[in-house]
Amino acid sequence: MRITISNRSVYSGVKFQTNNPKWNNTLILPEIFLYSHYANIIENPPEILLEIFDQDIVGGDEFMGRCYLKPFINNTFFNPPRLKWYKIFHGNERAGMKNKSFVVFLT
């Protein structure tokens, strides 16, 4: 799984020998610069791209699907992240769903 926001990406670890992987981890991107007023970022957070790949022993990574989403903006550090179901698409075809929480902390 790859998460991209602005010009930064981070990858999750590979889940081996499973057709139903569960990612229960935290992915932290390096510092990202958002060039907008603070209130604008809270009202219209930057879009996040989530991409899912299948990795086999033979051959390269196979693209499985993607979704675009808006993260929860946490500017108080006291609000817990909220889980939400996101639809995954492979082209125009629906390829599944992911229950995820995406949070951007503003400093």
Side-chain angles (χ1 to χ4, degrees):
M1 183 170 60
R2 176 173 59 198
I3 304 293
T4 304
I5 182 171
S6 188
N7 62 347
R8 305 280 180 138
S9 295
V10 66
Y11 293 84
S12 71
V14 176
K15 306 296 180 186
F16 293 101
Q17 297 183 348
T18 179
N19 289 327
N20 189 19
K22 294 175 179 54
W23 289 279
N24 187 17
N25 55 5
T26 300
L27 301 175
I28 299 174
L29 282 94
E31 189 174 71
I32 298 170
F33 294 101
L34 302 174
Y35 299 99
S36 185
H37 293 286
Y38 190 83
N40 291 343
I41 294 171
I42 291 173
E43 288 179 28
N44 189 24
E47 194 170 60
I48 293 177
L49 171 62
L50 176 136
E51 296 175 294
I52 300 169
F53 298 89
D54 179 34
Q55 186 179 58
D56 295 322
I57 295 172
V58 178
D61 294 348
E62 178 185 358
F63 174 72
M64 302 296 289
R66 75 171 49 103
C67 72
Y68 295 93
L69 50 107
K70 294 282 185 172
F72 169 66
I73 301 295
N74 191 337
N75 57 349
T76 65
F77 295 98
F78 296 111
N79 296 327
R82 296 179 249 168
L83 286 171
K84 182 179 174 185
W85 284 99
Y86 296 97
K87 295 176 184 173
I88 307 295
F89 289 91
H90 188 259
N92 292 330
E93 302 275 329
R94 190 164 160 189
M97 294 184 75
K98 285 283 177 204
N99 192 15
K100 294 285 181 195
S101 175
F102 295 93
V103 180
V104 172
F105 291 97
L106 299 178
T107 58

